[in-house]
Amino acid sequence: MRTTPARLALLAAGACALTWLLVTAVPAAAGTFTINACQADRLGFSTQAFGDYATRGMKWKRACNPAGPGLRGLYTGNVVRSGRVEPGAQSRFVMDAPPGTRFLSLTWSGKATRRDCRYTLQFYAYRPDGPPESIRNFRANHNCPKAEHTQTAGLPKPKTYPIAGATRIVQRAVCVGGSRKRFCSARSVNNIRTFYAEATVVDLSGPSVAVVQDNPFTQGEWVNGTQSVSYTANDNVGVKTAHALIGGNAREEHPRPCDYTRLVPCTNDPGQIRVDTTKLSDGTQPLQVQAIDTADNPNASQPVTVRIDNSAPGPVPLSVDGGDAWRSQNSFGAVWHNPDEGDRAPIVAAHWRLCRPGGDACTTGSQAAAGIARLGDLKVPEPGDWELRVVREDAATNRNDAYASQPVRLRYDPEPPTLGFEGSPADDPTRVSVAVTEKISAVASGQVELSREGSNTWQALPTQLEGSRLVARIDDAALAPGRYLLRAQATDLAGNVGVAAAAQPVTLPLRIQSAMQVGVAKTKIVRKK
């Protein structure tokens, strides 16, 4: 049955509704793929897989959309005009198998029309090491139609032809000429057209692929989170997809653009794969990229080492150099021990947070060093009592502030106590009282001393700390009378020493001297006469 252009248009419209038949349809089987042309490309009617050629008097035409005007299909024939066509003139379409491949089969439908038997109309597959496979062959001067008649033959439905080993598919119209007339007529229509062409290609070679070590992940540094893997891939028929292999297991995939109307359907451009390392086990592992070519042939790159750690370091016990006592110098050091965590990212930084007890007036900072286990030269913002917490960070930038250490105390007091002598009460003149003021830490101890004026020798008095006062007592009965100087000193918990002297000397004895005479009183009695 002959297929008219209107009928072909109807068939194509129905096929377009089957949207699952896309240009990027996957290859049929491992080692093979198909190249689609004309109505085999149901969405675009592409003919780019065929190269064209025509000499004077001949023409080609790409008109595969059956809904268009005029003769439809992949057209090769003569230019219809008055005059003649010289022998050897031809028009042709050629599809060459990609380098390193062979055709396996061809599914084809088309039509040949000849009025001048001096033309050859052919569609065939060429084998470099065997005979060609003829699909349509109207040889010049053979089986000619009757005079003034048109010879036609066509396939309304595609038919599959085995062409294994072929490297070229050819459609051509050639003016051969006859024995009496060496030329061909240009007045009549002589052509061969293709409506549908689907060539199956065999490719058994895999792609070449390599990991590009252009970032910390592929260079073997410790990382976390989502990472990128750049790669290069090359194949004679292109690479359609690539995926990461980590620890031998397939991970994320990178699908690549492919167009199965081209001779080389997929690209050979460099690519990149995004890898979510949070879905992988931590530790050192091999990474490969496996590329799959258009014909489903796989090949993997040489492995590179990657190191993954998505776990933040846990809290560790913290201590202060020299203990957490008050000190007069604003310089502190905090130390800890980093436990061995095996195949995990090493510690590279420590972040600290200083706050007042209760969490006010906080400041933060950090120090970085490989295996850091000490924060040195820490300074508190101002004198007083502070709490220090430390969070560790590893080489994969893992850090969790919820894993901060328990706080340790940093206590800084640069100011000595201030002292002031108070007057002795009238009823207790030997009492010496010194008021001590300590603003930051607290008074740890104190001493009151006495020196006879001019002697330059000081004698410690028994002293007690009673609340915020130093209290001593002068035993004036045991000291020689005279003028005496008084001084006092107090030491706070940070070791700061405050000193003060009494404004006026004291004169001993402090108490009034009194004496009592003891004896027997004699009484004389006078009697009156």
Side-chain angles (χ1 to χ4, degrees):
M1 183 177 86
R2 297 180 61 181
T3 305
T4 65
R7 180 177 175 82
L8 286 174
L10 183 61
L11 291 172
C16 287
L18 302 175
T19 56
W20 53 273
L21 289 172
L22 298 176
V23 170
T24 54
V26 296
T32 67
F33 65 96
T34 60
I35 299 172
N36 303 314
C38 226
Q39 293 179 34
D41 171 26
R42 285 168 164 76
L43 295 183
F45 307 107
S46 173
T47 60
Q48 63 179 319
F50 284 94
D52 51 59
Y53 174 79
T55 59
R56 184 179 178 83
M58 304 295 289
K59 72 174 184 178
W60 53 261
K61 182 180 178 182
R62 300 174 185 266
C64 279
N65 187 340
L71 291 176
R72 312 310 296 161
L74 197 63
Y75 178 103
T76 51
N78 64 291
V79 177
V80 180
R81 58 180 172 80
S82 62
R84 60 179 66 178
V85 177
E86 295 299 322
Q90 64 174 293
S91 64
R92 67 173 181 261
F93 281 106
V94 175
M95 180 191 295
D96 285 313
T101 70
R102 298 289 180 97
F103 290 112
L104 177 65
S105 64
L106 174 70
T107 301
W108 181 84
S109 74
K111 183 178 182 180
T113 302
R114 183 170 70 172
R115 188 169 184 136
D116 185 346
C117 200
R118 288 169 289 181
Y119 286 95
T120 289
L121 306 176
Q122 294 177 317
F123 199 102
Y124 65 93
Y126 167 78
R127 292 186 179 93
D129 49 5
E133 183 70 35
S134 177
I135 295 170
R136 279 291 176 270
N137 189 10
F138 285 73
R139 295 171 58 195
N141 306 305
H142 285 74
N143 301 320
C144 296
K146 294 179 180 181
E148 304 301 323
H149 284 75
T150 300
Q151 182 182 21
T152 62
L155 288 172
K157 293 183 179 180
K159 179 181 176 181
T160 300
Y161 300 86
I163 58 172
T167 58
R168 173 172 284 188
I169 296 170
V170 181
Q171 172 184 308
R172 68 177 185 170
V174 183
C175 173
V176 177
S179 57
R180 288 184 301 169
K181 295 180 179 181
R182 302 290 184 180
F183 57 86
C184 300
S185 172
R187 294 179 180 275
S188 60
V189 175
N190 302 275
N191 61 63
I192 182 169
R193 290 176 288 156
T194 290
F195 303 139
Y196 185 105
E198 181 183 273
T200 299
V201 180
V202 175
D203 174 38
L204 300 179
S205 62
S208 61
V209 57
V211 175
V212 179
Q213 295 178 271
D214 61 351
N215 60 34
F217 183 43
T218 52
Q219 291 170 357
E221 298 181 23
W222 287 98
V223 298
N224 64 8
T226 299
Q227 299 292 323
S228 64
V229 179
S230 299
Y231 67 91
T232 58
N234 189 69
D235 189 80
N236 59 329
V237 296
V239 177
K240 73 172 183 177
T241 189
H243 58 260
L245 296 174
I246 300 181
N249 298 314
R251 302 303 308 175
E252 285 81 354
E253 186 177 24
H254 176 221
R256 299 159 59 94
C258 296
D259 180 354
Y260 286 89
T261 68
R262 302 185 309 181
L263 290 175
V264 178
C266 304
T267 67
N268 283 311
D269 299 330
Q272 190 177 85
I273 305 170
R274 302 288 289 174
V275 176
D276 183 0
T277 68
T278 63
K279 298 179 180 178
L280 304 172
S281 58
D282 289 345
T284 303
Q285 304 173 59
L287 162 70
Q288 295 172 280
V289 170
Q290 184 179 65
I292 299 173
D293 71 10
T294 305
D296 281 339
N297 297 306
N299 194 27
S301 68
Q302 289 295 313
V304 299
T305 297
V306 296
R307 294 179 171 87
I308 299 168
D309 187 349
N310 285 286
S311 303
V316 289
L318 190 64
S319 61
V320 180
D321 283 343
D324 60 359
W326 286 91
R327 60 190 67 185
S328 60
Q329 299 297 315
N330 192 7
S331 179
F332 299 86
V335 295
W336 64 89
H337 172 69
N338 294 317
D340 183 7
E341 298 185 76
D343 190 17
R344 294 293 185 273
I347 303 301
V348 297
H351 305 269
W352 52 262
R353 183 179 181 87
L354 268 173
C355 301
R356 291 289 193 182
D360 296 331
C362 296
T363 61
T364 59
S366 63
Q367 294 181 19
I372 185 170
R374 182 180 186 275
L375 292 173
D377 196 28
L378 286 173
K379 297 183 183 302
V380 297
E382 59 185 28
D385 192 2
W386 298 84
E387 289 184 339
L388 171 71
R389 289 176 172 85
V390 172
V391 176
R392 299 179 301 153
E393 179 181 331
D394 65 24
T397 70
N398 293 305
R399 167 190 170 186
N400 188 338
D401 289 349
Y403 294 162
S405 66
Q406 290 296 311
V408 293
R409 307 297 278 270
L410 305 185
R411 296 179 169 100
Y412 170 49
D413 181 0
E415 301 179 14
T418 56
L419 293 81
F421 278 84
E422 299 175 323
S424 299
D427 59 349
D428 190 3
T430 64
R431 174 186 170 90
V432 179
S433 177
V434 181
V436 181
T437 302
E438 170 57 42
K439 298 180 180 179
I440 300 173
S441 58
V443 177
S445 62
Q447 183 68 58
V448 178
E449 296 177 306
L450 182 73
S451 175
R452 187 176 182 121
E453 189 175 42
S455 70
N456 203 30
T457 299
W458 292 91
Q459 175 183 344
L461 299 178
T463 306
Q464 291 182 338
L465 180 62
E466 296 179 359
S468 61
R469 286 177 172 77
L470 294 177
V471 177
R473 194 167 293 279
I474 301 173
D475 186 3
D476 59 351
L479 295 172
R483 288 165 57 89
Y484 287 80
L485 305 176
L486 286 171
R487 72 179 184 186
Q489 68 177 30
T491 303
D492 63 21
L493 294 177
N496 300 299
V497 178
V499 178
Q504 299 293 330
V506 295
T507 302
L508 301 187
L510 295 170
R511 292 167 292 186
I512 298 173
Q513 294 292 320
S514 60
M516 180 181 295
Q517 188 174 12
V518 179
V520 177
K522 294 182 178 181
T523 304
K524 183 178 181 182
I525 300 174
V526 179
R527 296 177 183 267
K528 292 182 180 181
K529 293 181 177 179

